[in-house]
Amino acid sequence: MKRFILLLVIVLVAYGSRDYWWDAAKEQVPASIIDSFQSLQQTIENDLSLDGIAQYFDSLLSGETRLALPNNENEQIEVDAPTLTAPDEQLFSVHNIELGDSRSDVEEETGEPMRSTENEYGVDWVTYHEEYHNFVMVGYDSEDHVIGLYSNQDLISSPTEITYGTDKNEVREQLGDPETSVRKGMFSYQVNQDEEYDLFQIDNSYVTIFYDEHRDDTVTAIQIIEYDLEQSKDELYTEPNEQLTEGFEYQLFDLTNAARVVHGLPVLTWDDNVKETARKHSTDMAENNYFGHTNLEGESPFDRMQQDDIRFITAGENLAHGQFSSIFAHEGLMNSLGHRENILQESFEQLGVGVAFNEQAQPFYTEKFFTS
């Protein structure tokens, strides 16, 4: 106890005199230590209590740089899972939905849509869920027939034995070798060099099966895109516009919450202010051709939030770039341990996502998690 009181006194003295040494320290001390002190600074400003500071030092001693916080107060709801039946005409269905189904049939199965946002194919992903349980995204053609499907939850059914949680090797045994390239216009592009997903051409469609490397390379999500829709996208990347930018941002937010409920965690609240902070960083990276948490002025994620007057107790940032869509970005982040920890951090309560594109139309994604 005496050691803790002595340490607390040292910290408070350092905090009180920070104006005299802060700028010099930032030039000499590793960014991770500076970031930890900034997190502690926010703790002191928001809650000057022994318990709060003690929790912070407990987190440091355990190797975790985030402040330990009480559980999010959002209650988990119980939602009945749908009874899944194997499709009659196709190899896969999602939430009992198949390509070609009518929108009225879909919404009889799922209920009313929760969001509709533009995707990289120039159509909308229409999102259905119950507080992010039974989460599915559906794309429709001009006649309201299904031409695209995605889910990262246990909603996959098939006459094969492939379902959510199936081993990658079992998938390949049943479906054969995955595609190694996809043709766009005059060019063929290599896909999936890291083997985080497999692409198959099945049932006049492109089926992408994603794997969770942290759950023994088992099926974690599926995307099904009608053949003609995929072929209508004649470039690897889609020419950006404001609708696509907002679409990618909200889609990454929804995907994050859908993943959190699978892991028994409360959903995050969208924050417009931190979204602007995130979008500015994505724009900076895209325009200045770099990729990193620290920008070219040496400012950390915490610095940028404080400059935008965003008060936080604890915060985290995820970055991704170059993925075709928010779906591929999210699945890649879930396979990266540090990014996955942010996505599944129980103490986070708010999230904003910012997206920007470089001159080659490649997207840059910034996720800003925090608790205020």
Side-chain angles (χ1 to χ4, degrees):
M1 184 64 183
K2 290 181 179 179
R3 290 182 179 179
F4 172 73
I5 293 174
L6 177 59
L7 181 58
L8 176 59
V9 170
I10 292 172
V11 168
L12 293 176
V13 169
Y15 171 73
S17 61
R18 67 193 184 282
D19 292 340
Y20 297 99
W21 55 266
W22 183 250
D23 290 338
K26 289 177 72 174
E27 296 177 1
Q28 303 296 328
V29 179
S32 60
I33 297 176
I34 291 293
D35 290 348
S36 295
F37 184 85
Q38 287 179 312
S39 181
L40 176 56
Q41 175 182 336
Q42 287 296 127
T43 304
I44 294 172
E45 291 175 352
N46 285 277
D47 179 18
L48 185 57
S49 67
L50 290 178
D51 288 342
I53 298 172
Q55 285 179 342
Y56 180 82
F57 282 108
D58 285 343
S59 70
L60 287 182
L61 292 173
S62 67
E64 174 59 69
T65 59
R66 302 184 189 92
L67 174 64
L69 295 171
N71 291 346
N72 194 329
E73 294 181 356
N74 293 343
E75 293 184 0
Q76 288 290 291
I77 66 169
E78 292 187 7
V79 175
D80 292 333
T83 300
L84 301 178
T85 59
D88 296 326
E89 300 179 2
Q90 297 170 17
L91 197 61
F92 291 102
S93 64
V94 180
H95 204 316
N96 295 323
I97 304 164
E98 301 178 50
L99 294 184
D101 286 353
S102 69
R103 182 164 182 158
S104 59
D105 287 341
V106 170
E107 294 182 356
E108 185 176 340
E109 171 76 20
T110 63
E112 293 298 310
M114 303 303 292
R115 197 192 306 278
S116 182
T117 53
E118 187 170 313
N119 65 23
E120 69 276 19
Y121 295 102
V123 300
D124 283 356
W125 277 129
V126 182
T127 304
Y128 302 90
H129 59 83
E130 301 168 70
E131 293 294 326
Y132 289 99
H133 296 265
N134 300 329
F135 177 86
V136 60
M137 300 200 301
V138 183
Y140 297 102
D141 64 15
S142 59
E143 297 180 349
D144 273 347
H145 291 118
V146 176
I147 54 175
L149 286 166
Y150 168 87
S151 180
N152 58 353
Q153 296 186 356
D154 189 5
L155 298 171
I156 304 168
S157 52
S158 172
T160 71
E161 297 179 1
I162 299 170
T163 186
Y164 188 91
T166 299
D167 181 80
K168 179 196 292 186
N169 292 328
E170 178 66 20
V171 172
R172 292 178 175 179
E173 285 180 10
Q174 297 201 44
L175 300 184
D177 294 331
E179 303 288 334
T180 58
S181 64
V182 60
R183 189 167 185 84
K184 294 292 179 184
M186 300 292 293
F187 301 97
S188 290
Y189 298 91
Q190 287 187 322
V191 296
N192 191 26
Q193 296 180 5
D194 296 329
E195 297 194 346
E196 293 183 346
Y197 62 88
D198 282 336
L199 175 66
F200 302 94
Q201 194 170 335
I202 304 170
D203 290 338
N204 200 36
S205 66
Y206 288 92
V207 177
T208 305
I209 297 180
F210 298 92
Y211 303 106
D212 189 336
E213 294 181 350
H214 301 287
R215 288 185 166 182
D216 300 322
D217 274 337
T218 53
V219 175
T220 190
I222 189 170
Q223 176 182 269
I224 307 172
I225 301 296
E226 187 185 62
Y227 179 86
D228 289 342
L229 180 62
E230 183 64 57
Q231 290 302 310
S232 70
K233 183 171 171 278
D234 56 7
E235 298 283 347
L236 196 60
Y237 295 104
T238 302
E239 191 66 27
N241 55 43
E242 183 60 26
Q243 290 73 34
L244 182 62
T245 299
E246 290 185 354
F248 276 5
E249 290 170 347
Y250 282 116
Q251 289 155 26
L252 193 50
F253 172 78
D254 287 339
L255 293 165
T256 298
N257 273 333
R260 284 176 67 88
V261 301
V262 168
H263 292 265
L265 298 172
V267 300
L268 303 172
T269 301
W270 176 264
D271 188 275
D272 270 323
N273 293 326
V274 84
K275 181 266 288 187
E276 292 299 329
T277 304
R279 189 185 282 191
K280 284 190 290 187
H281 187 56
S282 290
T283 300
D284 189 37
M285 291 189 293
E287 292 180 350
N288 293 291
N289 193 33
Y290 77 95
F291 182 71
H293 295 285
T294 302
N295 66 17
L296 300 181
E297 286 72 41
E299 296 165 339
S300 74
F302 301 103
D303 294 328
R304 296 191 296 274
M305 292 175 71
Q306 289 171 340
Q307 287 170 5
D308 289 343
D309 296 323
I310 297 170
R311 296 181 64 82
F312 59 94
I313 298 172
T314 185
E317 179 176 88
N318 282 353
L319 302 179
H321 79 105
Q323 290 85 355
F324 314 134
S325 69
S326 287
I327 288 175
F328 284 86
H330 170 74
E331 298 299 338
L333 290 168
M334 284 295 288
N335 276 328
S336 171
L337 188 57
H339 298 105
R340 182 189 185 97
E341 288 175 352
N342 276 337
I343 292 169
L344 302 181
Q345 174 58 242
E346 185 173 5
S347 66
F348 287 146
E349 296 178 354
Q350 290 134 294
L351 171 62
V353 181
V355 173
F357 299 82
N358 65 12
E359 292 182 352
Q360 290 75 44
Q362 296 171 333
F364 285 71
Y365 307 84
T366 301
E367 293 181 310
K368 303 286 288 186
F369 303 83
F370 72 106
T371 298
S372 58

